[in-house]
Amino acid sequence: MEETGYIRARLSAPSDAEAAWRATLRFINGDGDAVARREVELDATRVEEVPAALQTAIAALLGDEIEMAEALPPLTGDVVELEVPLRCRQSAS
């Protein structure tokens, strides 16, 4: 699968148990250029919901053909900064 760059994400846990996680996403392409940025409210109120919500946010930013190349590390703390490698989805032949 072709690597396409990565997302630099800053995830913020909600201060209220009913509130959603927030994320600032920056897409860095394969050449190292920052080409897109978006602040989003993730459809996640629990830490277990964050990976799927983050994938949805990435798809909204870059399109459905892009996916996370690896699983997220454990999310601990109120603010988590990480880099998420991306790849093109492999089409079923």
Side-chain angles (χ1 to χ4, degrees), residues 69-88:
E70 56 190 49
L72 294 180
L75 303 176
T76 57
D78 292 338
V79 176
V80 179
E81 295 189 19
L82 46 87
E83 293 182 356
V84 181
L86 302 174
R87 65 180 175 218
C88 291

Side-chain angles (χ1 to χ4, degrees), residues 4-39:
T4 62
Y6 62 93
I7 287 284
R8 185 172 292 147
R10 183 176 196 271
L11 305 171
S12 301
S15 56
D16 178 1
E18 299 298 317
W21 280 68
R22 297 199 51 76
T24 300
L25 306 176
R26 288 181 182 83
F27 173 57
I28 313 299
N29 68 14
D31 295 327
D33 300 319
V35 295
R37 180 180 186 278
R38 181 172 292 164
E39 292 187 28

Side-chain angles (χ1 to χ4, degrees), residues 19-21 42-55 75:
W21 280 68
L42 299 177
D43 188 17
T45 55
R46 298 186 342 251
V47 70
E48 300 83 17
E49 299 169 333
V50 171
L54 183 59
Q55 179 60 53
L75 303 176

